[in-house]
């Protein structure tokens, strides 16, 4: 009707069918919640001693990690063993681990290295500036945005915050830190952020998309590259 210019008639029809449309939308929402409920229920239940033992047997490297990172990886393992029901929970756990490790190894040390963090605030990078000024750490998406900017060659127009961050990353003492500003790592972070954001709404990532997303932290049964890039493994 709209394509033929019958706007008023279309409006009348819409009003007549609005209750039915609303009911359909509520039904779809309820079905989606019902579908996701088992996943939420399983992911929130505490791991049993048997489940912890199984996770540490297949992923022995998690024993050397501190909580909450270790507990999140146990949750990730449980999610992986129930992939069909908990694939999205697996992505969420890996996202939390990625943010925690990045905050502990990069973001907080960088902020602590600045004599006057608030003086470097920049409106172009609000999330990152807010963190430097004492706020919460940026999301994975906000972090990768700033990493991409830092990966580019120096320009005289670069804001001081970006210059300081680029210099900080290049001065990190472990050899694998060079990968933090390289495209494969940035693409992996970006993919994880996109899959997690999609999953948190109505997205349905495929098995391959989830496997690719989590490989930054868990690559098959081995620690993913982020541990080496953050100086946690050699």
């Amino acid at each position: 009707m709209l394509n033929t210019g019958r706007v008023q008639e279309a409006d009348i029809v819409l009003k007549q069918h609005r209750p039915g449309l609303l009911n359909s939308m509520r039904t779809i929402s309820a079905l989606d919640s019902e579908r996701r409920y088992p996943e939420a229920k399983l992911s929130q239940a505490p791991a049993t001693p048997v489940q912890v033992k199984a996770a540490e047997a297949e992923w022995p490297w998690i024993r050397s990690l501190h909580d909450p990172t270790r507990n999140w990886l146990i949750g990730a393992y449980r999610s992986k063993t129930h992939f069909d029901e908990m694939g999205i929970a697996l992505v969420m756990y890996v996202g939390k681990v990625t943010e925690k490790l990045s905050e502990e190894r990069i973001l907080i040390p960088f902020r602590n290295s600045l004599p006057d963090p608030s003086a470097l605030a920049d409106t172009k990078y609000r999330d990152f500036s807010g963190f430097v000024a004492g706020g919460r750490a940026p999301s994975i998406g906000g972090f990768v945005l700033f990493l991409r900017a830092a990966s580019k060659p120096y320009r005289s127009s670069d804001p001081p915050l970006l210059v300081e961050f680029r210099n900080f990353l290049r001065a990190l003492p472990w050899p694998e830190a060079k990968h933090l500003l390289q495209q494969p790592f940035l693409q992996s972070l970006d993919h994880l952020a996109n899959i997690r954001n999609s999953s948190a709404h109505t997205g349905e990532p495929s098995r391959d998309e989830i496997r690719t997303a989590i490989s930054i932290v868990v690559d098959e049964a081995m620690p993913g590259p982020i541990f080496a890039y953050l100086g946690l493994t050699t």
Side-chain angles (χ1 to χ4, degrees), residues 125-174:
Y125 304 103
R126 294 182 183 275
D127 289 351
F128 205 87
S129 293
F131 167 75
V132 167
R136 63 184 298 176
S139 65
I140 298 174
F143 182 46
V144 74
L145 177 68
F146 206 61
L147 281 174
R148 283 194 186 281
S151 71
K152 297 176 181 178
Y154 169 80
R155 295 185 302 176
S156 59
S157 59
D158 286 343
L161 179 62
L162 179 58
V163 174
E164 290 289 341
F165 186 62
R166 183 187 290 122
N167 292 339
F168 173 83
L169 292 177
R170 290 177 175 173
L172 290 172
W174 55 89

Side-chain angles (χ1 to χ4, degrees), residues 1-7 10-11:
M1 293 181 185
L2 292 175
N3 291 338
T4 58
R6 295 156 63 188
V7 177
D11 184 57

Side-chain angles (χ1 to χ4, degrees), residues 24-130:
S24 297
M25 291 172 66
R26 292 190 189 103
T27 300
I28 292 170
S29 178
L31 288 172
D32 186 66
S33 298
E34 182 179 346
R35 178 182 56 79
R36 293 173 185 266
Y37 174 72
E39 178 180 87
K41 184 177 180 181
L42 284 170
S43 65
Q44 291 172 6
T48 66
V50 172
Q51 291 170 332
V52 172
K53 186 176 181 179
E56 292 181 341
E58 187 162 343
W59 298 351
W61 46 275
I62 69 175
R63 296 190 188 117
S64 63
L65 301 173
H66 300 292
D67 291 334
T69 300
R70 175 180 164 275
N71 280 337
W72 289 337
L73 284 168
I74 291 171
Y77 175 81
R78 292 169 57 216
S79 302
K80 186 172 181 290
T81 60
H82 298 84
F83 197 100
D84 289 341
E85 300 85 10
M86 296 180 63
I88 292 175
L90 174 58
V91 174
M92 299 303 171
Y93 278 123
V94 167
K96 289 169 73 70
V97 170
T98 300
E99 288 180 337
K100 183 67 173 176
L101 296 179
S102 300
E103 183 177 354
E104 290 180 344
R105 298 292 293 171
I106 301 295
L107 297 176
I108 292 177
F110 172 64
R111 182 171 64 187
N112 292 343
S113 74
L114 302 174
D116 186 7
S118 60
L120 295 178
D122 188 271
T123 56
K124 186 176 180 180
Y125 304 103
R126 294 182 183 275
D127 289 351
F128 205 87
S129 293

